[in-house]
Amino acid sequence: MPGRRLFSILALAWVVGCAPGAGDDAALSRSRESALRVGEHLPEGSEAATVGAIEERIRKGTPRFGALVECECPSIVFKDEEGTGSDRVMTPRLRAGLERLSRLVSRRWGLALRVTEAWDGEGEHGPESLHYEGRAADLTTSDVDRAKLGWLARLAVEAELDWVYFEDASHVHVSVRAETPSRRERKTAR
């Protein structure tokens, strides 16, 4: 019974704090602006210019991996095609943005947000991908309705994810700035 399962997920989300919160109503009203189109991203600058380029791939067992968190929000569905749970691993900033977005998705459609990819420990992305630092995620809605993706991208903007890209007809890509200053910023500060 998919409807009962979704209801249970959303009810549990309410209890554990991933349910609609303050400010979501304002974001939903702003989201009526317009859906993004395939290939469109906001803001208009490049991903690297907006959120910063990748510094290095984060690998399991390293100190930087220890700074990543697992997203346990029950109103977010994880594809986990690798079977490793790596799609739940991300920076705290990305987790907070996805939790805000999950509330907006629930309010708009009564569905769960679906993460198809987050931290990449397998090397499946291009060499400059922010997935390697847990700062990017690929998203759909739980019903995998491609017609909703443009609006999902708009909601991601309203959820204050730093860079939102309606990458193709199968998913929306989002990314966030680094949690700490980059090496370059630390050297400049010295």
Side-chain angles (χ1 to χ4, degrees), residues 41-85:
H41 56 82
L42 290 174
E44 291 187 20
S46 72
E47 183 178 34
T50 303
V51 301
I54 183 173
E55 283 190 43
E56 65 182 292
R57 288 186 181 190
I58 295 178
R59 302 191 189 284
K60 280 187 178 178
T62 65
R64 288 194 71 201
F65 185 80
L68 298 177
V69 296
E70 284 193 27
C71 182
E72 298 295 337
C73 184
S75 63
I76 300 176
V77 175
F78 294 87
K79 185 176 181 184
D80 196 23
E81 64 193 344
E82 298 89 358
T84 63

Side-chain angles (χ1 to χ4, degrees), residues 6 9-10 13 18-21 23-25 27-29 31-32 73-77 96-115 138-145 148-161 164 172 174:
L6 180 59
I9 288 170
L10 295 175
C18 293
D24 289 342
D25 289 331
L28 277 173
S29 66
S31 70
R32 293 180 188 14
C73 184
S75 63
I76 300 176
V77 175
L98 294 181
E99 288 176 351
R100 285 190 303 271
L101 179 56
S102 76
R103 292 190 295 269
L104 295 176
V105 167
S106 174
R107 297 277 299 270
R108 182 168 184 118
W109 294 299
L111 298 170
L113 177 65
R114 180 172 174 254
V115 175
D138 294 334
L139 311 171
T140 69
T141 53
S142 58
D143 64 349
V144 196
D145 181 354
K148 291 183 175 85
L149 293 177
W151 286 109
L152 176 62
R154 172 57 64 187
L155 290 177
V157 171
E158 301 307 327
E160 300 177 350
L161 287 145
V164 177
V172 172
V174 298

Side-chain angles (χ1 to χ4, degrees), residues 41-54 128 130 135 162-163 175-178 182 184-185:
H41 56 82
L42 290 174
E44 291 187 20
S46 72
E47 183 178 34
T50 303
V51 301
I54 183 173
E128 302 302 312
L130 295 176
R135 292 198 291 136
D162 297 322
W163 198 75
S175 58
V176 297
R177 292 186 300 277
S182 68
R184 192 175 319 115
E185 291 168 334

